[in-house]
Coordinates of all heavy atoms in Angstrom, one line a residue:
M1 N -0.6 5.1 -107.9 CA 0.2 6.3 -107.9 C 1.5 6.0 -107.1 O 1.4 5.6 -105.9 CB -0.5 7.5 -107.3 CG -1.5 8.0 -108.2 SD -2.3 9.5 -107.5 CE -3.8 8.8 -106.9
A2 N 2.7 6.4 -107.6 CA 3.9 6.3 -106.8 C 4.4 7.6 -106.4 O 4.2 8.6 -107.1 CB 4.9 5.5 -107.7
V3 N 5.1 7.6 -105.2 CA 5.7 8.9 -104.8 C 6.9 9.1 -105.6 O 7.8 8.2 -105.7 CB 6.1 8.8 -103.3 CG1 6.9 10.0 -102.9 CG2 4.8 8.6 -102.5
R4 N 7.0 10.2 -106.3 CA 8.2 10.5 -107.1 C 9.3 11.2 -106.4 O 10.4 10.9 -106.6 CB 7.7 11.3 -108.3 CG 6.9 10.6 -109.3 CD 6.5 11.5 -110.5 NE 7.5 12.4 -110.8 CZ 8.0 12.7 -112.0 NH1 7.6 12.0 -113.0 NH2 8.8 13.6 -112.2
R5 N 8.9 12.1 -105.5 CA 9.9 12.9 -104.8 C 9.3 13.6 -103.6 O 8.1 13.6 -103.5 CB 10.5 14.0 -105.7 CG 9.5 14.9 -106.3 CD 10.2 15.8 -107.4 NE 9.1 16.6 -108.0 CZ 8.8 17.9 -107.6 NH1 9.4 18.3 -106.6 NH2 7.9 18.5 -108.3
V6 N 10.2 14.1 -102.8 CA 9.7 14.8 -101.6 C 10.2 16.3 -101.8 O 11.4 16.5 -102.2 CB 10.3 14.2 -100.3 CG1 10.0 15.0 -99.1 CG2 9.9 12.8 -100.2
R7 N 9.3 17.2 -101.5 CA 9.6 18.7 -101.7 C 9.5 19.4 -100.4 O 8.5 19.2 -99.7 CB 8.8 19.2 -102.8 CG 9.0 20.7 -103.1 CD 8.1 21.1 -104.3 NE 6.8 21.1 -103.9 CZ 6.0 22.1 -104.0 NH1 6.4 23.3 -104.4 NH2 4.7 22.1 -103.6
E8 N 10.4 20.3 -100.1 CA 10.2 21.1 -98.9 C 9.2 22.2 -99.2 O 9.3 22.9 -100.3 CB 11.6 21.8 -98.6 CG 11.5 22.7 -97.3 CD 12.8 23.4 -97.0 OE1 13.9 22.7 -97.0 OE2 12.7 24.5 -96.6
V9 N 8.3 22.4 -98.3 CA 7.2 23.3 -98.6 C 7.1 24.4 -97.5 O 6.3 25.4 -97.6 CB 5.8 22.7 -98.7 CG1 5.7 21.8 -100.0 CG2 5.4 21.9 -97.6
G10 N 7.9 24.3 -96.5 CA 7.8 25.3 -95.4 C 8.8 25.1 -94.3 O 9.3 24.0 -94.1
R11 N 9.1 26.2 -93.5 CA 9.9 26.1 -92.4 C 9.4 27.1 -91.3 O 8.9 28.1 -91.7 CB 11.4 26.6 -92.7 CG 12.1 25.6 -93.5 CD 13.5 26.2 -93.8 NE 14.3 25.3 -94.6 CZ 15.5 24.7 -94.2 NH1 16.0 25.0 -93.0 NH2 16.0 23.8 -94.9
F12 N 9.6 26.7 -90.1 CA 9.2 27.6 -89.0 C 9.9 27.2 -87.7 O 10.6 26.1 -87.7 CB 7.7 27.6 -88.7 CG 7.1 26.3 -88.4 CD1 7.0 25.9 -87.0 CD2 6.7 25.4 -89.4 CE1 6.4 24.7 -86.7 CE2 6.1 24.1 -89.0 CZ 6.0 23.8 -87.7
S13 N 9.9 28.0 -86.7 CA 10.5 27.8 -85.4 C 9.5 27.4 -84.4 O 8.4 28.0 -84.4 CB 11.3 29.0 -85.0 OG 12.4 29.3 -85.9
A14 N 9.8 26.5 -83.5 CA 8.9 26.2 -82.4 C 9.8 26.1 -81.1 O 10.9 25.7 -81.1 CB 8.2 24.9 -82.7
R15 N 9.2 26.5 -80.0 CA 10.0 26.6 -78.7 C 9.4 25.5 -77.7 O 8.2 25.3 -77.6 CB 9.7 27.9 -78.1 CG 10.5 28.2 -76.8 CD 10.4 29.6 -76.3 NE 11.2 30.4 -77.1 CZ 10.8 31.5 -77.8 NH1 9.6 31.8 -77.8 NH2 11.6 32.2 -78.5
A16 N 10.3 24.9 -77.0 CA 10.0 24.0 -75.9 C 9.8 24.7 -74.7 O 10.2 25.9 -74.5 CB 11.1 22.9 -75.8
A17 N 9.3 24.1 -73.6 CA 9.1 24.7 -72.3 C 10.3 25.2 -71.7 O 10.3 26.1 -70.9 CB 8.3 23.7 -71.4
D18 N 11.5 24.5 -72.0 CA 12.8 24.9 -71.4 C 13.4 26.1 -72.2 O 14.5 26.5 -71.8 CB 13.7 23.8 -71.2 CG 14.2 23.3 -72.6 OD1 13.8 23.8 -73.7 OD2 15.0 22.3 -72.6
G19 N 12.7 26.6 -73.2 CA 13.2 27.7 -74.0 C 14.0 27.4 -75.2 O 14.3 28.2 -76.0
T20 N 14.3 26.0 -75.3 CA 15.0 25.6 -76.6 C 14.2 25.9 -77.8 O 13.0 25.5 -77.8 CB 15.4 24.1 -76.4 OG1 16.1 23.9 -75.2 CG2 16.2 23.6 -77.6
V21 N 14.8 26.4 -78.8 CA 14.0 26.7 -80.0 C 14.5 25.7 -81.1 O 15.7 25.5 -81.3 CB 14.3 28.1 -80.6 CG1 13.6 28.4 -81.9 CG2 13.7 29.1 -79.5
Y22 N 13.6 25.1 -81.8 CA 13.8 24.1 -82.8 C 13.4 24.6 -84.1 O 12.3 25.2 -84.2 CB 13.2 22.7 -82.5 CG 13.6 22.0 -81.3 CD1 13.1 22.3 -80.0 CD2 14.7 21.1 -81.4 CE1 13.5 21.7 -78.9 CE2 15.1 20.4 -80.3 CZ 14.5 20.7 -79.0 OH 15.0 20.1 -77.9
R23 N 14.1 24.3 -85.2 CA 13.7 24.7 -86.5 C 13.0 23.5 -87.1 O 13.5 22.4 -87.2 CB 15.0 25.0 -87.4 CG 14.7 25.6 -88.7 CD 14.3 27.0 -88.5 NE 14.3 27.7 -89.8 CZ 13.5 28.7 -90.0 NH1 12.7 29.2 -89.1 NH2 13.5 29.3 -91.2
I24 N 11.7 23.7 -87.5 CA 10.9 22.7 -88.1 C 10.8 22.8 -89.6 O 10.5 23.9 -90.1 CB 9.5 22.7 -87.5 CG1 9.5 22.7 -85.9 CG2 8.6 21.5 -87.9 CD1 10.2 21.5 -85.3
I25 N 10.9 21.7 -90.3 CA 10.8 21.7 -91.8 C 9.7 20.9 -92.2 O 9.5 19.7 -91.7 CB 12.1 21.2 -92.4 CG1 13.3 22.0 -91.9 CG2 12.0 21.2 -94.0 CD1 14.6 21.4 -92.3
E26 N 8.8 21.4 -93.1 CA 7.6 20.7 -93.6 C 7.9 20.2 -95.0 O 8.4 21.0 -95.8 CB 6.4 21.5 -93.6 CG 5.2 20.9 -94.1 CD 3.9 21.7 -94.1 OE1 4.0 22.9 -93.8 OE2 2.9 21.2 -94.3
Y27 N 7.7 18.9 -95.2 CA 7.9 18.3 -96.6 C 6.6 17.8 -97.1 O 5.8 17.4 -96.3 CB 8.9 17.1 -96.5 CG 10.3 17.5 -96.1 CD1 10.7 17.4 -94.8 CD2 11.2 18.0 -97.0 CE1 12.0 17.7 -94.4 CE2 12.5 18.3 -96.6 CZ 12.9 18.2 -95.3 OH 14.2 18.5 -95.0
A28 N 6.4 17.8 -98.4 CA 5.3 17.3 -99.1 C 5.8 16.1 -100.0 O 6.8 16.3 -100.8 CB 4.5 18.3 -99.9
H29 N 5.1 15.0 -99.9 CA 5.5 13.9 -100.8 C 4.6 14.1 -102.1 O 3.4 14.2 -102.1 CB 5.0 12.6 -100.2 CG 5.9 12.2 -99.1 ND1 6.9 11.3 -99.2 CD2 5.9 12.6 -97.8 CE1 7.5 11.2 -98.0 NE2 6.9 12.0 -97.1
M30 N 5.4 14.3 -103.2 CA 4.7 14.6 -104.5 C 4.3 13.4 -105.2 O 5.1 12.4 -105.3 CB 5.7 15.4 -105.4 CG 6.2 16.7 -104.7 SD 5.0 17.8 -104.1 CE 4.4 18.4 -105.7
Q31 N 3.1 13.4 -105.6 CA 2.4 12.2 -106.3 C 2.4 12.4 -107.8 O 2.0 13.4 -108.3 CB 1.0 12.0 -105.8 CG 0.9 11.8 -104.3 CD 1.3 10.5 -103.8 OE1 1.2 9.5 -104.5 NE2 1.9 10.4 -102.6
D32 N 2.8 11.3 -108.5 CA 2.8 11.3 -109.9 C 1.4 10.9 -110.4 O 1.0 9.8 -110.1 CB 3.9 10.3 -110.5 CG 3.9 10.3 -111.9 OD1 3.1 11.0 -112.6 OD2 4.8 9.5 -112.5
V33 N 0.7 11.8 -111.0 CA -0.7 11.5 -111.5 C -0.8 11.3 -113.0 O -1.9 11.3 -113.5 CB -1.7 12.5 -110.9 CG1 -1.7 12.5 -109.4 CG2 -1.3 13.9 -111.4
R34 N 0.3 11.2 -113.6 CA 0.3 11.0 -115.1 C -0.2 9.7 -115.5 O 0.0 8.6 -114.8 CB 1.7 11.2 -115.7 CG 2.2 12.6 -115.6 CD 3.6 12.7 -116.1 NE 4.5 11.9 -115.2 CZ 5.8 11.7 -115.4 NH1 6.4 12.2 -116.5 NH2 6.4 11.0 -114.5
T35 N -1.0 9.6 -116.6 CA -1.5 8.4 -117.1 C -1.2 8.4 -118.7 O -0.7 9.4 -119.2 CB -3.0 8.2 -117.0 OG1 -3.7 9.2 -117.6 CG2 -3.4 8.3 -115.4
R36 N -1.6 7.4 -119.3 CA -1.4 7.4 -120.8 C -2.2 8.5 -121.4 O -1.9 9.1 -122.4 CB -1.9 6.1 -121.4 CG -0.8 5.0 -121.2 CD -1.2 3.7 -121.9 NE -0.3 2.7 -121.6 CZ -0.5 1.4 -121.7 NH1 -1.7 1.0 -122.0 NH2 0.4 0.5 -121.3
T37 N -3.4 8.7 -120.9 CA -4.3 9.8 -121.4 C -4.0 11.2 -121.0 O -4.4 12.1 -121.6 CB -5.8 9.5 -121.1 OG1 -6.0 9.4 -119.7 CG2 -6.2 8.1 -121.8
T38 N -3.2 11.3 -119.9 CA -2.8 12.6 -119.4 C -1.3 12.6 -119.1 O -0.9 12.8 -117.9 CB -3.6 13.0 -118.1 OG1 -3.3 12.0 -117.1 CG2 -5.1 13.1 -118.4
P39 N -0.4 12.4 -120.1 CA 1.0 12.3 -119.9 C 1.6 13.6 -119.4 O 2.7 13.6 -118.8 CB 1.5 11.9 -121.2 CG 0.5 12.4 -122.2 CD -0.8 12.3 -121.5
N40 N 1.0 14.7 -119.6 CA 1.6 16.0 -119.2 C 1.0 16.5 -117.8 O 1.3 17.7 -117.4 CB 1.3 17.1 -120.2 CG 2.1 16.7 -121.5 OD1 3.1 16.2 -121.5 ND2 1.4 17.0 -122.7
A41 N 0.3 15.7 -117.1 CA -0.3 16.1 -115.8 C 0.9 16.4 -114.9 O 1.9 15.8 -114.9 CB -1.2 15.0 -115.2
R42 N 0.7 17.4 -114.0 CA 1.7 17.8 -113.0 C 1.6 17.0 -111.8 O 0.5 16.5 -111.4 CB 1.5 19.3 -112.6 CG 1.8 20.2 -113.8 CD 1.6 21.6 -113.4 NE 1.9 22.5 -114.5 CZ 2.4 23.7 -114.4 NH1 2.7 24.2 -113.3 NH2 2.6 24.4 -115.5
D43 N 2.7 16.8 -111.0 CA 2.6 16.2 -109.8 C 1.7 17.0 -108.8 O 1.6 18.2 -108.9 CB 4.1 16.1 -109.2 CG 4.9 15.1 -109.9 OD1 4.4 14.5 -110.8 OD2 6.1 15.1 -109.7
V44 N 1.1 16.3 -107.9 CA 0.3 16.9 -106.9 C 0.9 16.6 -105.5 O 1.5 15.5 -105.3 CB -1.2 16.5 -106.9 CG1 -1.8 17.0 -108.2 CG2 -1.3 15.0 -106.8
E45 N 0.7 17.5 -104.5 CA 1.1 17.2 -103.2 C 0.3 16.1 -102.5 O -1.0 16.2 -102.6 CB 1.0 18.5 -102.3 CG 2.0 19.5 -102.7 CD 2.0 20.7 -101.8 OE1 1.3 20.7 -100.7 OE2 2.7 21.7 -102.1
G46 N 0.9 15.2 -101.9 CA 0.2 14.1 -101.1 C 0.4 14.4 -99.7 O 0.2 15.5 -99.2
L47 N 0.9 13.3 -99.0 CA 1.1 13.5 -97.5 C 2.2 14.5 -97.2 O 3.1 14.7 -98.0 CB 1.5 12.1 -96.9 CG 0.5 11.1 -97.0 CD1 1.1 9.7 -96.5 CD2 -0.8 11.4 -96.3
H48 N 2.0 15.2 -96.0 CA 3.0 16.1 -95.5 C 3.6 15.5 -94.3 O 2.9 14.8 -93.6 CB 2.3 17.4 -95.1 CG 1.9 18.3 -96.4 ND1 2.3 19.6 -96.5 CD2 1.3 18.0 -97.4 CE1 1.9 20.0 -97.6 NE2 1.2 19.1 -98.2
E49 N 4.8 15.8 -94.0 CA 5.6 15.4 -92.8 C 6.4 16.5 -92.3 O 6.8 17.4 -93.0 CB 6.4 14.1 -93.1 CG 7.6 14.4 -93.9 CD 8.5 13.1 -94.0 OE1 9.0 12.7 -93.0 OE2 8.6 12.6 -95.2
L50 N 6.6 16.5 -91.0 CA 7.4 17.5 -90.3 C 8.6 16.8 -89.7 O 8.5 15.7 -89.1 CB 6.6 18.2 -89.2 CG 5.3 18.9 -89.6 CD1 4.6 19.4 -88.4 CD2 5.7 20.2 -90.5
T51 N 9.7 17.5 -89.7 CA 11.0 17.0 -89.1 C 11.7 18.2 -88.5 O 11.5 19.3 -88.9 CB 12.0 16.3 -90.0 OG1 12.5 17.2 -91.0 CG2 11.2 15.1 -90.7
T52 N 12.6 18.0 -87.5 CA 13.4 19.1 -87.1 C 14.5 19.2 -88.1 O 14.7 18.3 -89.0 CB 14.1 18.7 -85.7 OG1 14.9 17.5 -85.9 CG2 13.0 18.5 -84.6
H53 N 15.4 20.3 -88.0 CA 16.4 20.4 -89.0 C 17.4 19.3 -89.0 O 18.1 19.1 -90.0 CB 17.1 21.8 -88.7 CG 18.0 21.8 -87.5 ND1 17.5 21.9 -86.2 CD2 19.3 21.7 -87.4 CE1 18.5 21.8 -85.4 NE2 19.6 21.7 -86.1
D54 N 17.5 18.6 -87.9 CA 18.4 17.4 -87.8 C 17.8 16.1 -88.1 O 18.4 15.1 -87.8 CB 19.3 17.5 -86.6 CG 18.5 17.5 -85.3 OD1 17.2 17.6 -85.4 OD2 19.1 17.5 -84.2
G55 N 16.5 16.1 -88.5 CA 15.9 14.8 -89.0 C 15.0 14.1 -88.0 O 14.5 13.1 -88.3
M56 N 14.7 14.7 -86.8 CA 13.8 14.0 -85.8 C 12.4 14.3 -86.3 O 12.0 15.3 -86.7 CB 14.1 14.5 -84.4 CG 15.4 14.1 -83.8 SD 15.6 14.6 -82.1 CE 15.9 16.4 -82.4
R57 N 11.6 13.2 -86.2 CA 10.1 13.3 -86.6 C 9.4 14.2 -85.6 O 9.6 14.2 -84.4 CB 9.5 11.9 -86.6 CG 10.2 11.0 -87.7 CD 9.7 9.6 -87.5 NE 10.2 9.1 -86.2 CZ 9.7 8.1 -85.5 NH1 8.7 7.5 -85.9 NH2 10.3 7.7 -84.4
V58 N 8.4 14.9 -86.2 CA 7.6 15.8 -85.4 C 6.1 15.6 -85.7 O 5.7 15.5 -86.9 CB 7.9 17.3 -85.8 CG1 7.1 18.3 -85.0 CG2 9.4 17.6 -85.4
N59 N 5.2 15.5 -84.7 CA 3.8 15.4 -84.9 C 3.1 16.7 -84.5 O 3.5 17.3 -83.6 CB 3.3 14.2 -84.0 CG 3.6 12.8 -84.5 OD1 3.9 12.7 -85.7 ND2 3.4 11.8 -83.7
V60 N 2.0 16.9 -85.2 CA 1.1 18.0 -84.8 C 0.2 17.4 -83.7 O -0.5 16.4 -83.9 CB 0.3 18.4 -86.0 CG1 -0.7 19.5 -85.7 CG2 1.1 18.9 -87.2
I61 N 0.1 18.2 -82.6 CA -0.8 17.7 -81.5 C -2.0 18.7 -81.3 O -2.8 18.4 -80.5 CB -0.1 17.4 -80.2 CG1 0.7 18.6 -79.7 CG2 0.8 16.2 -80.4 CD1 1.4 18.4 -78.4
G62 N -2.0 19.8 -81.9 CA -3.0 20.8 -81.8 C -2.6 22.1 -82.6 O -1.6 22.1 -83.3
E63 N -3.4 23.1 -82.5 CA -3.2 24.3 -83.3 C -1.9 25.0 -82.7 O -1.9 25.3 -81.5 CB -4.4 25.3 -83.1 CG -4.2 26.5 -84.1 CD -5.4 27.3 -84.1 OE1 -6.5 26.9 -83.8 OE2 -5.3 28.5 -84.4
N64 N -0.9 25.0 -83.5 CA 0.4 25.7 -83.2 C 1.1 24.8 -82.1 O 2.0 25.4 -81.4 CB 0.3 27.1 -82.8 CG -0.2 27.9 -84.0 OD1 0.2 27.8 -85.1 ND2 -1.2 28.8 -83.8
E65 N 0.7 23.6 -81.9 CA 1.4 22.7 -80.9 C 1.9 21.5 -81.6 O 1.2 20.9 -82.4 CB 0.3 22.3 -79.8 CG -0.3 23.5 -79.1 CD 0.7 24.2 -78.2 OE1 1.6 23.5 -77.5 OE2 0.6 25.4 -78.0
Y66 N 3.1 21.1 -81.2 CA 3.8 20.0 -81.8 C 4.6 19.2 -80.8 O 4.7 19.6 -79.7 CB 4.9 20.6 -82.9 CG 4.2 21.5 -83.9 CD1 4.1 22.8 -83.6 CD2 3.6 21.0 -85.0 CE1 3.4 23.7 -84.5 CE2 3.0 21.8 -85.9 CZ 2.9 23.2 -85.7 OH 2.3 24.0 -86.6
E67 N 5.0 18.0 -81.2 CA 5.8 17.2 -80.3 C 6.9 16.4 -81.2 O 6.6 15.9 -82.2 CB 4.9 16.1 -79.7 CG 5.7 15.1 -78.8 CD 4.9 14.1 -78.1 OE1 3.8 13.7 -78.7 OE2 5.3 13.6 -77.1
I68 N 8.1 16.5 -80.7 CA 9.2 15.8 -81.3 C 9.1 14.4 -80.8 O 9.2 14.1 -79.6 CB 10.6 16.4 -80.9 CG1 10.7 17.9 -81.4 CG2 11.7 15.6 -81.5 CD1 12.0 18.6 -80.9
V69 N 8.8 13.5 -81.7 CA 8.5 12.1 -81.4 C 9.7 11.4 -80.7 O 9.5 10.7 -79.7 CB 8.1 11.3 -82.7 CG1 7.9 9.8 -82.3 CG2 6.8 11.9 -83.3
D70 N 10.8 11.6 -81.2 CA 12.1 11.0 -80.7 C 12.4 11.4 -79.3 O 13.0 10.6 -78.5 CB 13.3 11.2 -81.7 CG 13.0 10.7 -83.1 OD1 12.1 9.9 -83.3 OD2 13.7 11.1 -84.0
L71 N 12.0 12.6 -78.9 CA 12.4 13.1 -77.6 C 11.3 13.2 -76.6 O 11.4 13.4 -75.4 CB 13.1 14.5 -77.7 CG 14.3 14.6 -78.6 CD1 14.8 16.1 -78.6 CD2 15.4 13.7 -78.1
G72 N 10.0 13.1 -77.2 CA 8.8 13.4 -76.3 C 8.7 14.8 -75.8 O 8.0 15.1 -74.8
V73 N 9.3 15.7 -76.6 CA 9.3 17.1 -76.2 C 8.2 17.9 -76.9 O 8.1 17.8 -78.1 CB 10.7 17.8 -76.6 CG1 10.6 19.3 -76.3 CG2 11.8 17.2 -75.8
K74 N 7.4 18.6 -76.1 CA 6.2 19.4 -76.7 C 6.7 20.7 -77.1 O 7.5 21.4 -76.3 CB 5.1 19.4 -75.8 CG 4.4 18.1 -75.6 CD 3.2 18.2 -74.8 CE 2.4 17.0 -74.8 NZ 2.8 15.7 -74.6
L75 N 6.2 21.3 -78.2 CA 6.7 22.6 -78.7 C 5.5 23.4 -79.0 O 4.4 22.9 -79.3 CB 7.5 22.3 -80.0 CG 8.6 21.4 -80.1 CD1 9.1 21.2 -81.5 CD2 9.8 21.9 -79.1
T76 N 5.8 24.7 -79.0 CA 4.8 25.7 -79.4 C 5.4 26.6 -80.5 O 6.5 27.0 -80.4 CB 4.4 26.6 -78.3 OG1 3.9 25.8 -77.2 CG2 3.3 27.7 -78.7
R77 N 4.6 26.7 -81.6 CA 5.1 27.5 -82.7 C 5.4 29.0 -82.3 O 4.6 29.6 -81.6 CB 4.1 27.5 -83.9 CG 4.6 28.1 -85.1 CD 3.5 27.9 -86.2 NE 4.0 28.5 -87.5 CZ 3.9 27.8 -88.6 NH1 3.3 26.7 -88.7 NH2 4.4 28.4 -89.7
V78 N 6.6 29.5 -82.6 CA 7.0 30.8 -82.2 C 6.2 31.9 -82.8 O 5.7 32.8 -82.2 CB 8.6 31.0 -82.6 CG1 8.9 32.5 -82.2 CG2 9.4 30.0 -81.8
H79 N 5.9 31.9 -84.1 CA 5.1 32.8 -84.8 C 3.9 32.1 -85.4 O 4.0 31.6 -86.5 CB 5.9 33.6 -85.9 CG 7.0 34.4 -85.3 ND1 6.9 35.5 -84.6 CD2 8.4 34.1 -85.4 CE1 8.0 35.9 -84.2 NE2 9.0 35.2 -84.7
P80 N 2.8 32.1 -84.7 CA 1.6 31.3 -85.3 C 1.2 31.8 -86.7 O 1.4 33.0 -86.9 CB 0.5 31.5 -84.2 CG 1.2 32.0 -83.0 CD 2.5 32.6 -83.4
R81 N 0.6 31.0 -87.4 CA 0.1 31.4 -88.7 C -1.0 32.4 -88.6 O -1.8 32.4 -87.8 CB -0.4 30.2 -89.5 CG 0.6 29.2 -89.8 CD -0.1 28.1 -90.6 NE 0.6 26.8 -90.3 CZ 0.7 25.8 -91.1 NH1 0.1 25.8 -92.2 NH2 1.3 24.7 -90.7

C-alpha cells in the first residue's frame, strides 16, 4: 500500500506554561487500498501526525498533553475533548 495523500482531520489550540497558545493541526495519511479485485475501494486513514500551524512537529505525551519537538515546549490542550 502506498500513501496517496495527506488530509487535514482536525485543529485545536494548546497552551504552553508561559501562556503562549499554539494552533495544532492533525493530519491523516490516506492509504490506497484498491486492488484489481476491489478497484472502487475507498482510501482509509493510516498514520496521523500533528504539527503547529507553522510546520513544527508535535508529539502526544499524555492525555491532552503535547510537546513541540523542535522547541522542547510542553503544551496542554486548551479545550480537552
Side-chain angles (χ1 to χ4, degrees):
M1 286 186 261
V3 173
R4 287 178 36 130
R5 61 189 171 93
V6 177
R7 181 175 65 121
E8 182 180 320
V9 294
R11 287 178 179 244
F12 61 92
S13 296
R15 181 175 288 121
D18 67 0
T20 305
V21 176
Y22 293 89
R23 191 74 168 152
I24 308 298
I25 305 169
E26 181 178 7
Y27 294 99
H29 291 260
M30 304 304 291
Q31 301 288 327
D32 180 1
V33 295
R34 291 178 293 177
T35 66
R36 284 187 184 153
T37 59
T38 60
N40 296 323
R42 294 182 181 210
D43 291 351
V44 296
E45 287 185 10
L47 295 175
H48 285 231
E49 70 176 295
L50 299 172
T51 66
T52 61
H53 73 283
D54 54 354
M56 292 185 283
R57 294 169 295 153
V58 177
N59 282 344
V60 177
I61 57 175
E63 187 173 337
N64 297 313
E65 300 291 323
Y66 305 88
E67 180 180 22
I68 298 175
V69 176
D70 302 341
L71 302 177
V73 173
K74 290 188 172 41
L75 308 171
T76 302
R77 191 173 179 135
V78 174
H79 298 290
R81 295 181 212 206

